[in-house]
Amino acid sequence: MIRWNIASIFFLGVSGRSRALTFKPGEVNIITGASGTGKSTIIKAIDYCLGSSKCELPVHVRRHSTAVGVKWVAGEDELIVGRLIPPVGQTSSSKMFATSGRNLPIPQKIEEFDGSTTTNAAKAFIERAFGIGDIGTDSNATSSGKARATVRNLTPYLFVTKEVIDSESVLFHGLEKAEKARDILASMPYFLRATDEASFKDERRLRQLLYILDNEEARTRSLASKETALKKRAMSLISEAHRIGITTLPPPDASEEELLQQIEGLSQTQLQPTSYPVEGELGALHEQRREILNKLTDVKRKSHATRSALREANGFEDTVTRQRSKLRLAEHFKLGEIASVCPVCESPSKKGQETANALQKALNKVQAESAAVERVKPKLVEHDRELKEEITQLNSALRRIDNQIKAWLQQTDEARKLNDIAQLKAHLLGRISFFLESSTDEKRQTSPDLTVLRDDIKQLEARVNPEEREIRLRRAEAKISAIASKNLQRLPTVAPCIGAELDFSSRRPEVSVIEADTDELLKLPDVGSDQNYLAIHIALAFALQKHFELVESPVPGVLVLDQISRPYFPTRGENDDETEIAGEREDEEVKAMRTHIDFLFSEVEQRTGLQVILIEHAYFADDSRYVSSTRQRWTRASKEALIPIDWPTR
């Protein structure tokens, strides 16, 4: 598999000005220079042309440039991606250009760009070119299922920025931003080739359906736990119709649909002369109420007595327990072995045995009383629970009877006001008619049939096979950990990282350090020293690139490193010039830097299709490899920079 590299990065200014940085594929490419010359802008330019939602190019670049582009190459295939640079004060630009082919010329003016398109379309174009599968987002994706593999998820593997290179908390570029971290983590198994395009889509769809199923099941449980407002209104109308004798009461467990059908039948009722509500019904209701009150009083009395007995039992149990604890001291005297002689003069005496027998009888009695309490107390607790349930039921029945009495009285009062039962029926039928008309458009809260949804979930679960995916992911992590451990041993470190191994986990993600002598597992913040953090990040970045090469992942073979000399040289200001190193007596820091440089060249030589772009402040003038690989050198003396100072303002 031929991996994508960067052939050039170019900027367009006004009046036909253009500036192109040329890189060699499959090699180490170095850009050195003084502070403030625009070296770190290279990463931001690549990121912006990969469809970043925000333009983070410096003010100087935005004031003197109108467009930026990147030319990618993979063998004979070429891809040019360009994007308009927004003026200062504007967040971004949605205008992009994307074209592919062979022998593509670099545009010198905006008008020479081909493939004018939008940002989203350009990102999709790049994904197809890189080989990222057709796993686009679903328009109905829920918040739990939005994660997807896109070209924007590639940047953690391409850039080792200044925020990452010697950080103790940030493992990859972009993970420090919560809105990006979720998608990076979700897409990582895809780029590690622990899952393929089809499985990735199935996993996303499965997450969506599980989210929908959880919501629907919660809605069903909510509907089952309470009556709908529509059902309550229907039951109220049917109860009134029953009291004036034009229908019967439905069963207590009648469904909402059954009640509505009964209401529909009532609307067809023909008015017939009838009588006022029967007075005997109110008397029967009052009689039922008195019976319930009597039962409630009796049960409350029993409940009060039971709770009193429980309190007494608890107090008696505490007393018996204390007595038994005291009498247990006698067990240490071995009462059954008391001799029938005086322990002082050894003359015959039964006083000791009598005392022992008395103590043994008291102990046995206390034990029997304790056992009796333990037998009786659970029965009292269960009896008290049953009485409470009965009180609850009686209170519910009392409220129901009170509501019926209240409704009867309201209806009777209404009947007297209307002064004619026929008029009362007509009034009720009018309300029923209005209810039916108003409820026609009312949303019926019915429980959905989730059978099809559950069947779809079962089919997806059978295809996804999470066990196989987990095994593949663990194998990938183990391979990356082994490669990173070998890399770490080739890089300069201090204790506790000397000879240590690295354990990579993609789930958070995180890297743990296993000490060589103790096998103790250390988290990244525990190792200390910027030199160790640098070595760990470099070791992991190259291990991932090797894994991507071996599994033919769609991640481009590009690794951009921003100043690996950062831990070895003091922090510089904006006006500090390049640091030139040319064979003078070297300290430990310079030797460590040379080890890193040797590692970079060695890795690129061993890998197929791996390109390293090193942005550096230091310049090793005595290293022929370093000199020949330096594509740009922007010193104070040369007065050169990424964007020439003589470019006119846009």
Side-chain angles (χ1 to χ4, degrees):
M1 177 183 177
I2 301 177
R3 307 184 70 190
W4 286 95
N5 285 179
I6 294 177
S8 62
I9 302 173
F10 55 93
F11 293 83
L12 304 182
V14 297
S15 302
R17 302 296 181 95
S18 65
R19 169 75 154 148
L21 307 180
T22 303
F23 304 95
K24 292 184 178 181
E27 296 185 12
V28 175
N29 297 266
I30 303 172
I31 295 180
T32 69
S35 299
T37 53
K39 301 188 302 298
S40 297
T41 303
I42 293 172
I43 292 179
K44 297 177 180 179
I46 300 172
D47 187 46
Y48 186 57
C49 288
L50 288 177
S52 173
S53 61
K54 184 179 180 181
C55 179
E56 297 183 342
L57 296 173
V59 172
H60 176 75
V61 176
R62 297 174 72 168
R63 284 176 176 168
H64 296 84
S65 304
T66 57
V68 60
V70 178
K71 182 176 181 179
W72 297 83
V73 294
E76 296 183 354
D77 296 328
E78 297 180 350
L79 170 69
I80 292 182
V81 181
R83 193 170 184 182
L84 296 184
I85 297 176
V88 177
Q90 185 175 320
T91 304
S92 183
S93 172
S94 60
K95 185 69 173 295
M96 289 190 68
F97 306 89
T99 184
S100 61
R102 295 185 177 183
N103 300 319
L104 298 177
I106 295 178
Q108 301 299 309
K109 296 183 295 184
I110 293 179
E111 293 76 16
E112 296 179 5
F113 271 115
D114 287 333
S116 176
T117 185
T118 63
T119 304
N120 289 335
K123 288 191 289 186
F125 187 90
I126 300 171
E127 288 165 11
R128 289 193 295 271
F130 285 174
I132 299 175
D134 183 14
I135 47 179
T137 184
D138 190 338
S139 60
N140 295 321
T142 62
S143 59
S144 62
K146 288 175 62 176
R148 52 183 291 256
T150 71
V151 67
R152 295 303 307 153
N153 304 140
L154 296 176
T155 56
Y157 316 115
L158 306 182
F159 306 143
V160 185
T161 60
K162 61 183 179 181
E163 293 82 11
V164 174
I165 202 160
D166 58 355
S167 173
E168 66 179 40
S169 57
V170 182
L171 193 61
F172 292 121
H173 170 71
L175 284 183
E176 71 278 9
K177 299 178 181 179
E179 66 275 12
K180 295 183 178 180
R182 183 194 60 190
D183 288 346
I184 292 173
L185 296 179
S187 63
M188 192 171 291
Y190 170 76
F191 290 116
L192 296 180
R193 283 311 195 212
T195 184
D196 56 15
E197 288 87 348
S199 297
F200 194 94
K201 288 193 291 186
D202 286 341
E203 289 174 16
R204 187 185 68 235
R205 181 60 179 162
L206 179 59
R207 288 193 298 269
Q208 295 170 2
L209 294 186
L210 289 173
Y211 179 82
I212 294 172
L213 180 62
D214 288 342
N215 287 343
E216 291 298 333
E217 286 180 341
R219 178 171 170 263
T220 301
R221 289 192 297 268
S222 177
L223 289 175
S225 65
K226 61 180 180 180
E227 293 181 333
T228 64
L230 192 64
K231 184 176 180 180
K232 290 180 180 179
R233 288 163 56 194
M235 188 62 197
S236 176
L237 290 173
I238 292 173
S239 298
E240 290 189 36
H242 167 67
R243 283 193 290 273
I244 60 176
I246 60 176
T247 190
T248 58
L249 285 175
D253 58 348
S255 67
E256 183 180 281
E257 197 63 32
E258 291 172 339
L259 294 179
L260 292 175
Q261 289 177 1
Q262 188 171 355
I263 288 285
E264 189 73 35
L266 281 173
S267 66
Q268 308 300 325
T269 301
Q270 299 296 324
L271 292 178
Q272 298 293 336
T274 186
S275 59
Y276 280 88
V278 181
E279 291 288 341
E281 182 180 353
L282 181 61
L285 290 174
H286 279 295
E287 182 62 29
Q288 293 179 32
R289 189 176 189 277
R290 281 193 294 272
E291 291 177 359
I292 292 173
L293 285 173
N294 291 335
K295 289 181 182 179
L296 189 59
T297 301
D298 184 56
V299 173
K300 286 183 176 180
R301 179 181 55 78
K302 292 179 181 179
S303 177
H304 179 72
T306 302
R307 286 196 294 271
S308 297
L310 274 173
R311 287 194 296 270
E312 293 174 0
N314 288 332
F316 183 71
E317 184 180 23
D318 293 341
T319 302
V320 170
T321 300
R322 289 194 297 272
Q323 292 299 327
R324 187 170 61 180
S325 299
K326 294 177 180 178
L327 290 173
R328 272 188 170 174
L329 294 173
E331 293 178 357
H332 300 285
F333 297 130
K334 299 181 180 179
L335 300 178
E337 300 177 8
I338 301 297
S340 59
V341 297
C342 177
V344 178
C345 62
E346 297 185 353
S347 61
S349 173
K350 295 185 177 183
K351 190 66 175 176
Q353 290 181 339
E354 292 174 355
T355 302
N357 291 336
L359 284 172
Q360 187 63 49
K361 288 180 181 179
L363 181 60
N364 291 340
K365 184 176 180 181
V366 170
Q367 289 176 340
E369 290 174 347
S370 177
V373 171
E374 292 176 354
R375 288 194 304 272
V376 172
K377 185 178 177 182
K379 295 180 180 180
L380 289 174
V381 172
E382 178 64 21
H383 184 57
D384 183 57
R385 185 188 64 78
E386 292 174 353
L387 290 175
K388 289 180 179 178
E389 290 181 356
E390 188 175 355
I391 289 173
T392 300
Q393 294 173 359
L394 289 173
N395 282 328
S396 178
L398 184 62
R399 285 193 297 271
R400 186 173 61 254
I401 293 296
D402 286 342
N403 288 336
Q404 292 179 1
I405 292 174
K406 181 180 179 182
W408 192 97
L409 293 174
Q410 289 176 346
Q411 179 194 343
T412 302
D413 183 60
E414 185 178 355
R416 286 176 182 149
K417 289 179 180 178
L418 294 174
N419 203 24
D420 187 356
I421 194 63
Q423 196 173 2
L424 178 60
K425 288 182 178 180
H427 179 67
L428 177 59
L429 291 176
R431 289 170 56 202
I432 289 175
S433 177
F434 177 76
F435 168 78
L436 291 173
E437 291 176 0
S438 62
S439 64
T440 300
D441 299 328
E442 187 170 342
K443 185 178 179 181
R444 304 290 175 83
Q445 298 186 34
T446 57
S447 299
D449 186 2
L450 303 178
T451 305
V452 176
L453 181 59
R454 291 193 176 98
D455 289 343
D456 290 344
I457 289 174
K458 288 181 180 179
Q459 293 177 8
L460 285 172
E461 287 176 338
R463 292 205 302 265
V464 166
N465 195 353
E467 292 81 8
E468 180 181 348
R469 175 183 180 275
E470 186 65 21
I471 292 173
R472 290 178 180 273
L473 190 59
R474 287 203 304 268
R475 284 174 56 83
E477 292 171 346
K479 292 177 181 179
I480 294 169
S481 299
I483 300 171
S485 297
K486 292 179 180 179
N487 290 345
L488 184 67
Q489 294 172 9
R490 296 165 55 193
L491 294 170
T493 56
V494 296
C497 289
I498 298 176
E501 296 180 4
L502 297 180
D503 182 74
F504 170 67
S505 172
S506 63
R507 290 157 182 80
R508 298 191 63 173
E510 65 178 358
V511 166
S512 300
V513 178
I514 305 173
E515 285 192 270
D517 298 330
T518 64
D519 284 341
E520 186 173 352
L521 195 68
L522 303 176
K523 298 299 182 183
L524 195 58
D526 299 331
V527 301
S529 173
D530 289 345
Q531 184 174 355
N532 286 340
Y533 296 136
L534 170 67
I536 291 171
H537 284 288
I538 296 296
L540 179 61
F542 278 89
L544 284 167
Q545 283 291 337
K546 182 176 180 179
H547 181 77
F548 294 147
E549 175 192 341
L550 296 175
V551 300
E552 297 187 352
S553 174
V555 178
V558 175
L559 195 55
V560 187
L561 308 175
D562 190 0
Q563 294 190 152
I564 59 177
S565 62
R566 194 179 304 275
Y568 298 110
F569 298 108
T571 302
R572 298 169 174 83
E574 288 187 1
N575 298 318
D576 285 337
D577 202 354
E578 165 195 85
T579 301
E580 181 174 334
I581 301 171
E584 65 268 16
R585 187 172 182 178
E586 298 180 352
D587 54 19
E588 293 298 324
E589 285 76 11
V590 174
K591 292 179 181 179
M593 266 294 297
R594 290 190 184 276
T595 303
H596 276 285
I597 298 301
D598 292 340
F599 176 82
L600 298 186
F601 282 100
S602 174
E603 280 297 299
V604 171
E605 184 178 354
Q606 295 177 32
R607 301 275 68 81
T608 300
L610 176 60
Q611 179 189 48
V612 171
I613 298 176
L614 175 62
I615 301 168
E616 242 331 312
H617 200 90
Y619 181 74
F620 289 82
D622 59 348
D623 189 330
S624 60
R625 300 169 306 170
Y626 200 95
V627 174
S628 62
S629 297
T630 301
R631 312 298 173 214
Q632 299 289 331
R633 190 181 179 192
W634 301 327
T635 63
R636 294 294 177 206
S638 68
K639 297 183 180 180
E640 292 186 2
L642 176 66
I643 302 299
I645 59 175
D646 61 347
W647 274 24
T649 303
R650 57 187 296 181

